[in-house]
Amino acid sequence: AVGRRSIRWTWRRSWRRLSSDERKKAERKVGWTRLWTRAKQIVTTDPTGSVEDDMVVDEEAAKVLAAQAGRLKGGLAKVAQLAAYDPGATLGGRSGATAAARAVLGGLWDRAPAVSAGAIARVIEEDLGKPPQSLFAHWDVTPLASASLGQVHAAKLHDGTDVVVKVQYPGVAESLRADLDDATFVRKLAGAEVGAKLDDAAIAALSTAVRGELDYRAEAEAMTKFAAAWADHEVLRFPRVIADLSSTR
């Protein structure tokens, strides 16, 4: 048992280090894209440093960030989502993202690249003991939406009830935890202006809060409490949680 724990711990440390390295490599790629795009402007168009020139550079950097965030998910995707509505966001070393660049990143809010149907099915079977095709009378393999940590699928229970199922991406928990061990990265999650002013206690609190997003069972419990607290509200509605078909992921 000790040997198995040691191997498991070594594997987790290696995975987290690899995930962090991949994220940093992706961030460097965004920076190189800015430099390359500016170099092309110098060679081909004699740029003046105008707003229009900056918009072109920002858009190219945003496209690369969106692609890398969509591939890696987790923390980098969260930073990209934040940059989509933060005018002070940093794209490849330059602070202050243009509206056009932020629009490029906006698709990551709910239209991030989805993972394969097979990968999602394996997460469900690992957590709930059966594949989705057995747990549900109908399972739509095409997600309704996909974001930084998971994607949502439509399904139908065996009693005919229509439901939506939120499933966490495989491996994203280890990746995000590795990102959150980096204080510099946690600052980026707070946004350019706020992040620069965070002290150690605030960084730790933000890191803990974001880690909590990985626990879907806790999220379900919170949603149930909200539903009870606002049960008589004329407008607000909350989905009913089906505990037997819910897990941490």
Side-chain angles (χ1 to χ4, degrees):
V2 174
R4 286 197 296 271
R5 283 198 297 269
S6 177
I7 292 171
R8 188 181 302 116
W9 175 244
T10 301
W11 177 86
R12 285 178 177 171
R13 289 178 62 187
S14 298
W15 171 258
R16 292 175 72 169
R17 184 168 57 250
L18 177 61
S19 299
S20 181
D21 289 346
E22 282 290 301
R23 188 257 302 165
K24 291 176 181 177
K25 186 187 299 181
E27 290 176 326
R28 288 195 296 269
K29 186 173 291 187
V30 175
W32 280 112
T33 298
R34 288 192 60 84
L35 290 175
W36 174 244
T37 303
R38 185 66 84 191
K40 285 195 296 183
Q41 287 180 336
I42 293 171
V43 171
T44 62
T45 63
D46 189 22
T48 61
S50 66
V51 173
E52 290 76 11
D53 290 334
D54 287 342
M55 287 178 64
V56 172
V57 176
D58 271 5
E59 284 187 56
E60 290 303 312
K63 289 175 183 177
V64 173
L65 176 56
Q68 294 299 314
R71 178 177 67 88
L72 295 177
K73 317 294 188 189
L76 187 62
K78 285 197 166 294
V79 168
Q81 288 174 330
L82 174 66
Y85 63 84
D86 179 8
T90 299
L91 294 178
R94 175 184 176 274
S95 296
T98 64
R102 298 200 306 274
V104 170
L105 298 171
L108 293 170
W109 287 335
D110 59 4
R111 299 188 306 279
V115 304
S116 69
I120 289 297
R122 283 192 292 275
V123 171
I124 293 174
E125 185 167 8
E126 288 172 4
D127 277 26
L128 299 180
K130 295 180 180 180
Q133 290 79 5
S134 298
L135 293 170
F136 303 96
H138 171 74
W139 172 261
D140 191 342
V141 297
T142 302
L144 295 170
S146 49
S148 58
L149 302 182
Q151 58 196 52
V152 177
H153 290 258
K156 187 183 292 289
L157 301 182
H158 290 287
D159 66 3
T161 302
D162 290 318
V163 295
V164 292
V165 186
K166 182 178 178 181
V167 186
Q168 194 172 109
Y169 298 130
V172 77
E174 292 294 336
S175 175
L176 182 60
R177 290 183 183 117
D179 288 338
L180 294 172
D181 286 339
D182 182 348
T184 300
F185 183 79
V186 176
R187 291 183 187 278
K188 296 178 182 179
L189 290 175
E193 184 176 352
V194 175
K197 301 175 181 177
L198 295 182
D199 59 19
D200 290 345
I203 290 174
L206 177 57
S207 177
T208 299
V210 176
R211 288 173 196 271
E213 294 186 31
L214 294 167
D215 188 349
Y216 285 5
R217 193 181 294 279
E219 179 180 326
E221 292 173 356
M223 187 161 59
T224 299
K225 292 178 180 178
F226 270 95
W230 296 87
D232 298 326
H233 198 278
E234 296 180 358
V235 177
L236 296 180
R237 296 291 182 271
F238 296 88
R240 176 172 61 90
V241 174
I242 301 173
D244 292 344
L245 295 174
S246 299
S247 71
T248 301
R249 296 189 295 171

